Amino acid sequence: MKFQAASSVLLSLVSAVAGQYDTTIPSPVCAKFKQFTVGGIGEFVDTDASGIAPQTTGDMSVSFSLTGVNAAGEYPNQSIFRNLNIDMNAICVVKKDQPFVPVNAPVCLYEAKFSFCRRNYIIFQDDIKIEKVKAERVVDIRPALEKLGRLERTDGDGRRTQSQSVRGAGQAAEVVGAESNLEDDNRQLQKELFEDNIVNEGLVEAVLVTEEVYALDEELFKLVCPKLGCLIPYYFCTDKRKGGFTAHGTGSQDIKITGGTAGLFGAFGQMITPTSGIDIISTDLMTGDITYEFDIDLEICYYRRESGFW
């Protein structure tokens, strides 16, 4: 009787707890980045005081900060993804005694902070006329896109932000030829345009709303530029992500992404590095510390927390 009573109580508690879980888990989103390079300093740790060579079991290389190396089309801006920013810690451990020229790769543990956004085009016509203008002349059309249900903004860590109200038609029309007097939300767009879309001497790519452009999306331009003559961004960043992920593995083809936080919640995927290994730029023969670089092909999936879930 006591066992039956205890079982009944336990089952009732399980049922109550189960009711607290949200079963509407969103599908993961995956992103594949073009190869880019990271670099930094690896501090050698001689665990058994046997010297820097040959490496022995348990010797380590600890990298406090591995960051992206700027390269056109790779980092920080790619054709689809923009504003890449990565900062990794790495601890690599020798798994067995090595000859003077190591033949076995160490096992490495990575902890990374990573952020990026996706390039979003407003006008898709190939023959649209693109102008290069100062960022402060460009109208922020994101509130209108939000109102029309075409855009959901987040703060980057997977939480929704409060939508800003759409500016009135009169306010939008006043930007024709204007250099300033724009709202805070528009200043944020200008800052992002300046960072994401610099073409030359601080100019950004924009499209002038003419009758022909207006006709391409009357629903949108009725809200942001009813009197024509406004400048809208040719593209802007959307779906901003910022969060952390962990990874581990041995060698270049087996580095598994095993978790993530914030905007990269539940991350999984892989980091692929060249079979040739790392590129050692310099070595301190007294300490064994190295300055090095290596290429990464990053394939990462994560859950968009703002799309449901809780």
Side-chain angles (χ1 to χ4, degrees):
M1 293 296 293
K2 290 183 179 179
F3 175 77
Q4 290 179 341
S7 298
S8 299
V9 171
L10 179 61
L11 287 173
S12 66
L13 290 174
V14 170
S15 299
V17 171
Q20 297 175 15
Y21 287 91
D22 188 346
T23 58
T24 59
I25 299 175
S27 298
V29 176
C30 296
K32 183 176 182 178
F33 297 87
K34 291 182 179 179
Q35 187 179 87
F36 60 91
T37 303
V38 298
I41 296 175
E43 181 179 342
F44 180 71
V45 181
D46 182 8
T47 56
D48 60 1
S50 62
I52 64 174
Q55 297 174 2
T56 55
T57 303
D59 283 349
M60 295 187 290
S61 177
V62 179
S63 299
F64 178 73
S65 182
L66 297 171
T67 56
V69 177
N70 288 348
E74 297 178 6
Y75 187 95
N77 293 321
Q78 301 184 353
S79 56
I80 296 176
F81 299 104
R82 315 288 287 181
N83 289 351
L84 275 65
N85 188 293
I86 192 166
D87 191 348
M88 295 195 298
N89 299 328
I91 299 176
C92 296
V93 183
V94 176
K95 296 189 292 184
K96 62 183 297 186
D97 291 352
Q98 298 294 303
F100 275 92
V101 178
V103 294
N104 301 114
V107 59
C108 293
L109 311 174
Y110 298 91
E111 185 178 61
K113 294 179 180 178
F114 185 48
S115 62
F116 63 92
C117 64
R118 181 165 50 86
R119 192 176 189 181
N120 188 14
Y121 290 91
I122 307 302
I123 305 295
F124 290 92
Q125 280 194 203
D126 293 335
D127 60 348
I128 201 76
K129 182 180 179 182
I130 301 172
E131 302 191 20
K132 297 174 182 178
V133 301
K134 292 182 178 180
E136 60 263 26
R137 296 183 60 191
V138 180
V139 178
D140 187 0
I141 67 172
R142 293 174 301 179
L145 292 172
E146 288 180 305
K147 183 174 183 179
L148 295 173
R150 303 186 196 175
L151 175 67
E152 179 180 82
R153 270 192 279 178
T154 73
D155 61 0
D157 66 359
R159 295 178 296 180
R160 290 188 183 92
T161 57
Q162 294 294 323
S163 298
Q164 303 295 321
S165 60
V166 179
R167 303 219 312 271
Q171 288 175 296
E174 288 175 4
V175 302
V176 180
E179 295 287 335
S180 57
N181 195 29
L182 299 174
E183 298 177 8
D184 290 341
D185 206 40
N186 209 33
R187 292 193 186 96
Q188 180 62 27
L189 175 72
Q190 293 158 15
K191 179 178 181 294
E192 293 168 3
L193 284 172
F194 188 80
E195 295 171 347
D196 304 342
N197 193 10
I198 293 177
V199 176
N200 178 2
E201 297 181 353
L203 300 181
V204 300
E205 293 182 333
V207 174
L208 180 68
V209 180
T210 61
E211 289 184 0
E212 292 77 14
V213 172
Y214 189 97
L216 295 174
D217 196 336
E218 294 186 6
E219 182 182 43
L220 173 63
F221 294 123
K222 183 178 179 181
L223 292 174
V224 298
C225 192
K227 296 183 181 180
L228 308 181
C230 304
L231 287 163
I232 63 166
Y234 178 51
Y235 69 83
F236 62 91
C237 262
T238 187
D239 189 24
K240 296 186 176 182
R241 296 282 118 187
K242 59 181 178 181
F245 68 84
T246 55
H248 69 86
T250 300
S252 59
Q253 303 295 307
D254 191 30
I255 303 175
K256 300 166 284 290
I257 296 174
T258 54
T261 60
L264 300 176
F265 181 82
F268 59 95
Q270 61 182 351
M271 295 195 306
I272 301 173
T273 59
T275 54
S276 57
I278 64 175
D279 180 16
I280 298 178
I281 299 172
S282 65
T283 302
D284 187 324
L285 298 178
M286 296 297 293
T287 63
D289 297 351
I290 59 173
T291 300
Y292 67 106
E293 294 180 349
F294 61 96
D295 295 331
I296 289 179
D297 284 292
L298 180 61
E299 300 172 0
I300 186 169
C301 301
Y302 53 88
Y303 293 92
R304 300 182 76 246
R305 297 196 306 159
E306 65 274 20
S307 298
F309 205 86
W310 51 58

